Amino acid sequence: MSVMVTTPPASAVVVRIAVPPALMRLRRAWDRNASAGIPAHVTILFPFVGPGDLGPSIRGELAAIAASHEQFEVRFERVGRFPGVVYLAPDP
């Protein structure tokens, strides 16, 4: 049985990530989001704001928040699940 969670249209705060070619092939074959053009990413916040509310001032605030933090390394070695979603769990 497949469970689909429905939410009102909203934006998300995501960080795109590079994935190895073999994983990208699996993702394209099995992940509907990949076939819809959604890149491999880490979701920071969802839902965020309605698509019509995501204007330049909010984008600027997000950019300022991101710029105020140092880069860090993260690994994705464990598979996790919640209803309707399989994901690679970030560590740390």
Side-chain angles (χ1 to χ4, degrees):
M1 174 167 88
S2 173
V3 176
M4 181 64 112
V5 177
T6 335
T7 60
S11 61
V13 178
V14 301
V15 176
R16 292 181 184 203
I17 60 169
V19 296
L23 182 56
M24 185 54 79
R25 285 191 295 276
L26 283 172
R27 188 169 182 269
R28 280 193 209 111
W30 295 99
D31 183 352
R32 285 181 290 202
N33 289 326
S35 62
I38 297 172
H41 65 278
V42 173
T43 302
I44 306 298
L45 180 62
F46 178 83
F48 183 48
V49 297
D53 297 326
L54 187 59
S57 65
I58 290 178
R59 290 175 187 266
E61 287 182 51
L62 288 172
I65 291 167
S68 71
H69 292 276
E70 295 291 324
Q71 292 183 3
F72 60 92
E73 290 191 23
V74 62
R75 297 178 344 171
F76 300 91
E77 296 179 335
R78 185 176 55 82
V79 175
R81 287 189 62 158
F82 50 90
V85 176
V86 175
Y87 63 93
L88 296 175
D91 182 38

